[in-house]
Amino acid sequence: MATQVRSHKAQKVLDRLSKKLNRQMVGSMIACVHCGMCTESCHYVQTNPDDPTYAPAYKADQIRKIFKRHHDWMGRVFPWWVHAKTILTDEDLEELKDIAFGKCTNCRRCTINCPMGVDFATVNRMVRGLLVHVGVMPEGVSVVSKDQWEIGNQMGVLKEDYIDTIEWMEEELQDELEDPEAKIPIDKPDCDIVYTINPREVKYDPRTIADAAKIFYYAGANWTMASEGWDMTNFGLFSGDDDLGGTVAKRVYEKVQELNGKMLVISECGHGYRSTRCEGPNWGGVTLPFDSESSVDTMLRYIKEGKIKVDKTKNSTPVTFHDSCNNARSCGLYEEPRELLNLVCSDFREMYPNRAENYCCTGGGGAMSMGEYTPRRLKSAEVKANQLRETGAKIVITSCHNCVDGLNDLIKHYKLDMGVTQLVNLVAEALVPPEKAVPAQEPKAAATLKGYKILVVDDEPDTLTYLTTVLEDNEATTLQAADGATGIELAKKEKPDLITLDISMPGMDGGEVFARLREDPETRMIPVCIVSGKPELRGLIYDKPHRPPEGYLDKPVEEETLVLNARKILELARKQN
Amino acid sequence: MHESQLLHFAAHRLQEVALLIMATVYTIRLIWLFRFKAGGDRQGRTGRFSTSPQKGALYSLANIAMPWAMESTRTKPVFWIQFALFHLGVTAAITLSFVIPYAPSVLNNGLVVFGFQAFIGAACLIGCYRMYRRISDKTMRAISAPDDYFSLALLTVWFAFGVLAAPNDISNGEGIMITFFMLTAFFLIYVPFSKIGHYLYYPITRYYLGRSLGYRGVFPIQKSVKPQKVAH
Ligand code: SF4
Ligand code: SF4
């Protein structure tokens, strides 16, 4: 009988598996009794009740069978008796990839519902790491990992863009507070706080940086941001790559030490908090000589110590709170955000279940970067959508940037009438200025878009009208294009100062339009801001070998956000010219 | 009435040998498991300070006796009762296998015999139901290997003979008693190689999970708070 030869990759996976096993992992491999108690704890199962391949124990078994075949005595001697099986081909690895990346968000909900203490999420992460080691992974995981290895942050934000954004936010802060001394310090040594952020804040949500700065300003904090090692997110958590995890975490730690910072504060991000606060020292094999905490703790402490004053009536819209899996189930951070919420908003409604038992936003485990699994993700999101709907809230708060994206996406998909925001925004909104800071003079008129010509390219008539109206209300001159070809034509002819571009359009999609604009010497330098309702299509833009777009906004986009971002892009472009 | 040599052998020597084999295999298994390095936490503690690695580990180990602790048992009380009765049945059947050869006078009391029969009989019925569930439920079928079916069948048949053996009466022949002890011996030897050996791993997996999640302030789990006002 011919023996099938094992592929090189499959062999490497088996070799590495032996190195990665620790006692806890082996325990999870051998302790499952196939009782099925964990089945319904998984959001994938709840939304695919007729498909047993989503059951946590089934998914775990696809990994377990390899372990059994190579490490367990029964599996070695009587493999058929315990369903032990080896891996031979690259197709076997692809099947594993589909499970490890496409059918589990590593949310750990099954873990806390298993009577045996089987930690499938941790096993699944290990398998991701084995696959990544041999290059078997979704495209998005590869792109993001590469950015984090090479550029130092997972969204490929260049240092100059990061610094520009911080300076821009500093200007916003000074305008708002009418204090030219209001600063966002960079690389200030010997501070009490070194504040680290998610690159998503730089790229899509700079308001959170300004809001945090405002809180630090009111609290009189001695704080700084860092010019390097500022990204507290860590794709190593999602890709299962401990080497990446350790390297990224150490970049942050080393910068804090270099600046002689006393405390590392991690802005609101579930996986960032877990990676930087909890797993990083383990991956990197380091013991930290400084303290670290979530910005949620910092804000709560400031209120409790009377360093900032808040007025909860300023946030009266009904809100609910979504627990990030990494915060709640892996780091125990679930009471603090609630305590803070109750201090800064007047109508907080719990969703059910909550705290460590809350459901995943379905965008966890790096799912937002894996476009190929989007239909599955959105289907499984029905559980979360129902939870949200039940609350009757108009805003869902979450302490995680990943969850913001995941929730935004499902809210749109399930047509829920609510928005998503973070605690930092609510706290900043609720701040009561200290006596001395109350401005005596009339507030300055808000800056406008006067003198700028902006081309809006979008196939949805309502969006086209909305965007142009907002821009015109802010004194910009606008041009409209309802399809890609017209957009390109108008861009060449009118040479606008900025183009807002939808991705999903019939005919020529936004990715194609973007590529042509960047390739044409006449339009190459025109700044582009993507305005899209389909985050899963980001790859169409970001995977292109061109200079990335100057901005990215999720639909539905609020007026303030649109104007703020348009102004930022235009001002940066003006400075660069 | 005196027992035959065969029954005496099955109830004594065979059991002792089976127990010895089980203990040896278990020891080897534990040595194997403990040769894998245990992962640890280098970082500072997170979460509520009212908990700790010790509390987390204790909570985790006691978890199974607290049906309210996990959502999966809290929302399926009948399943948990089944689980409890099934395992009480196992305990009763094992106890019976010691009582018959070493303290048979205990079984002169009809109530004691009834007690054994009630627990073991209930476990037998639950075993039948569990087999039905494992066969009829699509997901259970998908996660079941031959070992799962065989282990459950073995226990269920063993329970059935346990019910019959509880009166310790050989006036109508020794067949039942011999079968019960043979099954017990087979069960003891097979256990470390099968899923039934999970009780050996249970304390280990639960200890490590509890220690880590206690350190991180997750265990003991704070149950979901039911919302006061739910607007529709
Ligand atoms: S609850 Fe635990 S033991 Fe039961 S099937 Fe799930 S992982 Fe296995
Ligand atoms: S970790 Fe979460 S997504 Fe993965 S199987 Fe368990 S419950 Fe499902």
Side-chain angles (χ1 to χ4, degrees):
Chain A
M1 204 169 74
T3 321
Q4 199 177 348
V5 180
R6 182 171 289 119
S7 76
H8 178 65
K9 284 183 181 176
Q11 185 58 49
K12 277 183 83 174
V13 164
L14 291 180
D15 294 345
R16 198 163 169 87
L17 171 66
S18 311
K19 294 190 191 115
K20 285 282 161 190
L21 290 171
N22 64 18
R23 200 174 301 157
Q24 286 94 325
M25 213 82 84
V26 173
S28 290
M29 293 288 191
I30 57 179
C32 177
V33 287
H34 293 148
C35 67
M37 291 292 279
C38 55
T39 305
E40 276 144 41
S41 54
C42 178
H43 52 277
Y44 284 106
V45 175
Q46 295 206 10
T47 45
N48 298 277
D50 295 325
D51 186 348
T53 66
Y54 283 103
Y58 179 87
K59 293 181 272 197
D61 275 357
Q62 307 317 300
I63 297 155
R64 200 172 273 130
K65 66 185 181 186
I66 306 165
F67 168 85
K68 286 190 173 168
R69 188 70 186 92
H70 294 273
H71 295 273
D72 190 64
W73 50 26
M74 277 304 270
R76 283 177 169 180
V77 183
F78 302 112
W80 56 276
W81 189 246
V82 291
H83 279 181
K85 205 169 166 229
T86 190
I87 37 167
L88 285 170
T89 63
D90 291 356
E91 285 72 47
D92 291 341
L93 299 181
E94 286 295 324
E95 276 173 31
L96 268 186
K97 179 186 101 174
D98 189 64
I99 289 167
F101 289 99
K103 288 188 170 176
C104 174
T105 55
N106 283 358
C107 77
R108 241 179 170 186
R109 203 166 188 277
C110 55
T111 300
I112 63 158
N113 276 298
C114 167
M116 291 298 299
V118 170
D119 190 358
F120 170 56
T122 302
V123 171
N124 196 55
R125 180 181 174 272
M126 175 194 69
V127 173
R128 287 183 174 199
L130 299 179
L131 294 169
V132 164
H133 185 64
V134 293
V136 177
M137 64 190 119
E139 175 77 22
V141 173
S142 156
V143 171
V144 180
S145 300
K146 189 169 173 284
D147 278 347
Q148 203 155 25
W149 273 118
E150 292 174 4
I151 304 179
N153 65 80
Q154 58 165 280
M155 287 194 174
V157 175
L158 301 175
K159 188 172 176 181
E160 50 274 26
D161 291 340
Y162 166 74
I163 303 281
D164 276 345
T165 306
I166 303 286
E167 285 172 358
W168 167 48
M169 282 300 116
E170 187 177 81
E171 283 165 25
E172 293 284 326
L173 188 71
Q174 289 169 351
D175 279 355
E176 186 183 342
L177 301 171
E178 298 188 358
D179 180 357
E181 294 310 308
K183 298 275 184 219
I184 304 187
I186 298 181
D187 285 347
K188 189 172 145 201
D190 307 322
C191 283
D192 294 334
I193 285 172
V194 177
Y195 185 60
T196 52
I197 58 169
N198 184 317
R200 183 184 173 279
E201 298 180 62
V202 181
K203 213 154 178 172
Y204 310 128
D205 198 5
R207 193 69 239 168
T208 54
I209 304 173
D211 282 348
K214 188 172 162 189
I215 295 164
F216 287 132
Y217 173 86
Y218 276 16
N222 177 19
W223 72 294
T224 188
M225 293 183 76
S227 60
E228 310 269 355
W230 51 267
D231 176 11
M232 52 65 175
T233 68
N234 197 321
F235 217 68
L237 183 70
F238 298 153
S239 69
D241 182 350
D242 291 351
D243 296 337
L244 174 63
T247 305
V248 170
K250 282 203 276 190
R251 276 181 201 149
V252 176
Y253 305 151
E254 280 161 14
K255 191 69 193 178
V256 178
Q257 280 176 272
E258 184 193 311
L259 294 172
N260 196 27
K262 291 189 186 61
M263 162 92 80
L264 165 63
V265 172
I266 301 155
S267 80
E268 288 176 85
C269 177
H271 99 268
Y273 180 62
R274 181 175 169 192
S275 303
T276 308
R277 175 75 175 78
C278 295
E279 315 293 357
N282 302 315
W283 294 328
V286 291
T287 306
L288 303 183
F290 50 82
D291 286 334
S292 60
E293 68 179 12
S294 161
S295 59
V296 174
D297 293 310
T298 316
M299 293 186 282
L300 186 58
R301 204 179 54 244
Y302 284 166
I303 297 177
K304 284 183 176 173
E305 290 172 357
K307 287 189 174 164
I308 54 173
K309 296 216 167 5
V310 283
D311 174 2
K312 60 156 77 177
T313 60
K314 290 188 179 182
N315 292 311
S316 57
T317 313
V319 301
T320 186
F321 184 73
H322 161 77
D323 294 275
S324 131
C325 303
N326 284 310
N327 278 342
R329 263 190 291 281
S330 285
C331 302
L333 184 70
Y334 46 78
E335 291 304 345
E336 294 83 349
R338 287 177 168 77
E339 211 181 324
L340 189 52
L341 261 176
N342 281 313
L343 291 167
V344 297
C345 60
S346 55
D347 188 354
F348 167 48
R349 304 163 179 203
E350 282 285 9
M351 65 175 76
Y352 190 79
N354 47 57
R355 296 171 166 76
E357 295 182 338
N358 212 328
Y359 282 103
C360 179
C361 70
T362 68
M368 296 308 288
S369 60
M370 306 174 204
E372 57 270 59
Y373 305 125
T374 300
R376 276 185 207 171
R377 172 169 62 79
L378 285 172
K379 188 173 180 202
S380 75
E382 192 186 342
V383 176
K384 190 89 238 169
N386 290 340
Q387 260 187 302
L388 294 175
R389 199 180 283 121
E390 281 288 300
T391 64
K394 291 287 168 214
I395 300 174
V396 52
I397 314 295
T398 184
S399 277
C400 174
H401 281 278
N402 210 47
C403 297
V404 169
D405 280 343
L407 292 169
N408 264 323
D409 215 17
L410 76 89
I411 283 171
K412 193 151 1 93
H413 185 77
Y414 288 96
K415 301 188 170 47
L416 306 181
D417 177 22
M418 58 187 351
V420 188
T421 191
Q422 296 200 287
L423 272 163
V424 67
N425 309 115
L426 285 195
V427 174
E429 187 61 37
L431 281 172
V432 177
E435 292 295 305
K436 62 180 173 55
V438 177
Q441 44 318 41
E442 284 291 299
K444 272 207 278 183
T448 68
L449 298 168
K450 195 170 184 173
Y452 290 114
K453 195 195 295 177
I454 302 176
L455 166 61
V456 180
V457 187
D458 203 303
D459 65 309
E460 292 169 33
D462 287 352
T463 312
L464 203 56
T465 311
Y466 169 72
L467 295 178
T468 46
T469 310
V470 170
L471 294 170
E472 281 170 8
D473 285 352
N474 284 275
E475 300 183 65
T477 310
T478 62
L479 303 160
Q480 297 186 8
D483 58 71
T486 317
I488 293 174
E489 205 181 302
L490 276 174
K492 281 189 187 179
K493 202 166 128 207
E494 299 286 339
K495 303 277 179 333
D497 300 297
L498 171 67
I499 301 172
T500 74
L501 177 63
D502 185 19
I503 304 181
S504 171
M505 293 188 289
M508 195 188 298
D509 66 38
E512 181 63 29
V513 177
F514 177 71
R516 293 206 192 177
L517 288 170
R518 284 294 198 245
E519 279 156 17
D520 189 328
E522 282 189 72
T523 54
R524 180 178 296 156
M525 296 315 293
I526 302 176
V528 175
C529 179
I530 304 296
V531 182
S532 169
K534 301 216 162 116
E536 68 276 14
L537 298 182
R538 280 176 191 174
L540 287 176
I541 302 287
Y542 288 94
D543 293 350
K544 296 237 164 14
H546 302 108
R547 192 179 84 245
E550 280 68 18
Y552 185 103
L553 294 171
D554 277 316
K555 280 185 194 168
V557 52
E558 281 177 20
E559 177 173 345
E560 191 197 1
T561 313
L562 175 66
V563 174
L564 205 67
N565 279 273
R567 264 186 48 217
K568 171 204 162 188
I569 297 169
L570 290 163
E571 280 172 20
L572 282 180
R574 199 190 53 211
K575 272 190 208 165
Q576 279 158 8
N577 290 337
Chain B
M1 217 175 171
H2 282 290
E3 62 187 14
S4 69
Q5 272 195 341
L6 178 62
L7 178 55
H8 186 81
F9 167 77
H12 291 83
R13 184 53 52 88
L14 185 63
Q15 300 306 308
E16 287 152 15
V17 171
L19 275 169
L20 196 69
I21 293 174
M22 186 182 80
T24 310
V25 178
Y26 266 163
T27 309
I28 296 170
R29 190 70 167 165
L30 283 178
I31 291 171
W32 168 78
L33 180 56
F34 278 89
R35 277 172 59 189
F36 290 96
K37 229 175 123 223
D41 277 328
R42 280 169 169 268
Q43 79 280 10
R45 279 178 56 186
T46 51
R48 291 166 297 141
F49 281 97
S50 54
T51 184
S52 66
Q54 293 75 20
K55 273 193 194 171
L58 257 178
Y59 166 85
S60 181
L61 286 163
N63 186 280
I64 201 60
M66 303 185 288
W68 59 88
M70 285 190 302
E71 183 195 79
S72 56
T73 44
R74 194 189 315 137
T75 53
K76 288 188 194 137
V78 176
F79 198 96
W80 187 85
I81 291 167
Q82 268 184 46
F83 150 83
L85 283 175
F86 189 83
H87 285 81
L88 282 175
V90 175
T91 314
I94 291 172
T95 310
L96 185 66
S97 74
F98 283 96
V99 168
I100 293 175
Y102 301 112
S105 58
V106 171
L107 297 171
N108 293 338
N109 184 331
L111 264 179
V112 174
V113 172
F114 177 74
F116 272 113
Q117 287 181 319
F119 278 115
I120 301 172
C124 183
L125 291 177
I126 292 164
C128 293
Y129 168 73
R130 285 185 161 196
M131 184 59 89
Y132 164 75
R133 175 171 171 257
R134 199 169 279 282
I135 292 169
S136 62
D137 184 293
K138 211 194 264 184
T139 304
M140 292 304 289
R141 266 201 317 273
I143 61 173
S144 298
D147 175 45
D148 294 295
Y149 295 109
F150 181 76
S151 297
L152 183 54
L154 173 68
L155 280 172
T156 308
V157 172
W158 180 55
F159 288 145
F161 278 92
V163 172
L164 299 173
N168 192 18
D169 181 2
I170 50 171
S171 55
N172 290 322
E174 293 180 338
I176 286 169
M177 302 298 281
I178 291 174
T179 312
F180 174 66
F181 281 110
M182 292 285 188
L183 280 172
T184 308
F186 180 75
F187 164 76
L188 292 175
I189 295 169
Y190 180 63
V191 161
F193 298 100
S194 75
K195 71 173 271 189
I196 311 172
H198 65 270
Y199 60 83
L200 185 71
Y201 313 130
Y202 171 85
I204 298 166
T205 47
R206 288 231 64 102
Y207 167 76
Y208 283 115
L209 185 71
R211 191 186 70 169
S212 170
L213 293 186
Y215 189 68
R216 292 168 181 229
V218 181
F219 273 7
I221 289 261
Q222 293 283 97
K223 270 193 313 187
S224 293
V225 176
K226 278 256 185 207
Q228 298 278 306
K229 75 181 156 186
V230 178
H232 290 277

